[in-house]
Amino acid sequence: MKKSNWKSVIGWLGLFLILGSLSSVADEASVKKSIEAAYPKIKVDSVTKTPYAGLYEVFMGGQIIYTDDKFSFLIAEGRLVDPKTKKDITGERLDELTKIDFNSLPLDQAIKVVKGNGSRKLVVFSDVDCPFCKRLEQKELTNINDVTIYTFLYPIEQLHPDAANKSRSIWCASNRTKAWQDWILNSKLPTTTAKCEVPLERVGELAQKLGVNSTPTMFFENGRRMLGAQPHDEIEKSLQAAKK
């Protein structure tokens, strides 16, 4: 084939690639429009076509669901797994889509606990009356060293009506770090506390912004999150991965 003909072929290939890309964008936009029309009260953060059987990944309401280009069905609370690699595609994508900017967190609004050399950082959103938060502190975080833990007091008053009052008592204690550990490890509240400005409202706004819907929720330095009172070895793995 002549050189000029090769240029012509390459030109057509480039055009096909561009048109294919534009078509994909158009499809994603139309899927997004259909979902928004059906669920006007829920923000659709992104729609991305997957390489699997014409499925579209839809990130909305802090979760991933799947549909087709005609929005003729929804797959909710399901996991997309690559049969060749055995990778949890949904889990990996959700980790990526829910990453935060760790360095932007207002750590002055959190209780700081330094363990060992404190070289690693971990953020925890915790409700003082949440049993899973106590389990995390008592059974899991006690087995982790060389970490600085920043705890944002996030009382969920619908579940624990007295949690906000207890949070104020701990935050306004003369030594809030000791007060926090006395409570979360031994269920002992400060006997006397002064009045002070407590950032509960600001922490609540931060939690909503980050999509924190339950306690405990942890964040690592690489921005990835972990939900619930996970085993300490899993937390340790995530701390190590965050430092790489």
Side-chain angles (χ1 to χ4, degrees):
M1 185 179 290
K2 293 181 180 180
K3 189 174 182 181
S4 58
N5 289 339
W6 273 114
K7 287 183 178 179
S8 177
V9 170
I10 292 171
W12 279 108
L13 285 174
L15 179 60
F16 285 135
L17 288 173
I18 291 171
L19 291 175
S21 176
L22 291 175
S23 174
S24 175
V25 171
D27 289 344
E28 291 169 358
S30 62
V31 170
K32 185 173 187 288
K33 186 176 180 180
S34 298
I35 296 171
E36 288 174 334
Y39 298 94
K41 294 184 179 180
I42 304 178
K43 179 185 176 184
V44 179
D45 295 286
S46 66
V47 175
T48 307
K49 189 174 183 180
T50 77
Y52 300 96
L55 287 178
Y56 284 78
E57 168 202 284
V58 182
F59 182 50
M60 58 188 292
Q63 63 176 328
I64 289 176
I65 60 176
Y66 298 97
T67 188
D68 63 354
D69 60 344
K70 296 181 176 58
F71 191 44
S72 56
F73 62 84
L74 282 177
I75 300 174
E77 298 184 10
R79 312 297 287 191
L80 180 62
V81 178
D82 189 310
K84 295 180 180 178
T85 64
K86 305 300 187 293
K87 285 185 178 180
D88 179 355
I89 305 300
T90 303
E92 288 188 357
R93 286 289 294 151
L94 197 55
D95 281 347
E96 190 64 31
L97 290 168
T98 59
K99 280 177 66 174
I100 67 164
D101 179 3
F102 189 93
N103 293 325
S104 71
L105 294 174
L107 299 180
D108 59 316
Q109 297 173 20
I111 295 173
K112 180 179 178 181
V113 175
V114 180
K115 302 181 65 178
N117 62 29
S119 58
R120 303 177 296 179
K121 294 179 182 178
L122 175 66
V123 158
V124 185
F125 280 78
S126 185
D127 180 325
V128 297
D129 281 337
C130 161
F132 299 103
C133 297
K134 290 185 176 180
R135 175 184 162 188
L136 173 68
E137 295 280 351
Q138 296 172 3
K139 304 294 184 183
E140 310 304 338
L141 296 184
T142 52
N143 293 299
I144 293 177
N145 202 21
D146 295 337
V147 62
T148 300
I149 303 172
Y150 296 91
T151 300
F152 285 95
L153 298 180
Y154 182 43
I156 302 177
E157 295 185 75
Q158 302 94 316
L159 299 176
H160 309 120
D162 199 35
N165 288 330
K166 290 175 181 174
S167 297
R168 292 187 186 97
S169 177
I170 292 168
W171 184 263
C172 293
S174 58
N175 184 336
R176 64 174 63 118
T177 297
K178 182 179 184 303
W180 166 248
Q181 292 183 309
D182 283 345
W183 169 252
I184 204 69
L185 298 177
N186 302 307
S187 299
K188 290 174 58 179
L189 282 173
T191 54
T192 58
T193 55
K195 289 185 178 180
C196 74
E197 183 181 350
V198 186
L200 294 187
E201 186 175 340
R202 282 176 286 165
V203 170
E205 292 171 355
L206 176 65
Q208 288 187 344
K209 178 182 176 183
L210 299 178
V212 176
N213 301 312
S214 62
T215 57
T217 294
M218 291 173 278
F219 289 98
F220 301 88
E221 288 181 82
N222 57 4
R224 296 192 180 276
R225 75 180 65 199
M226 180 180 285
L227 307 181
Q230 298 295 330
H232 62 87
D233 56 344
E234 292 299 319
I235 299 172
E236 179 65 35
K237 287 178 186 177
S238 292
L239 283 169
Q240 292 178 13
K243 295 297 290 185
K244 292 181 180 178

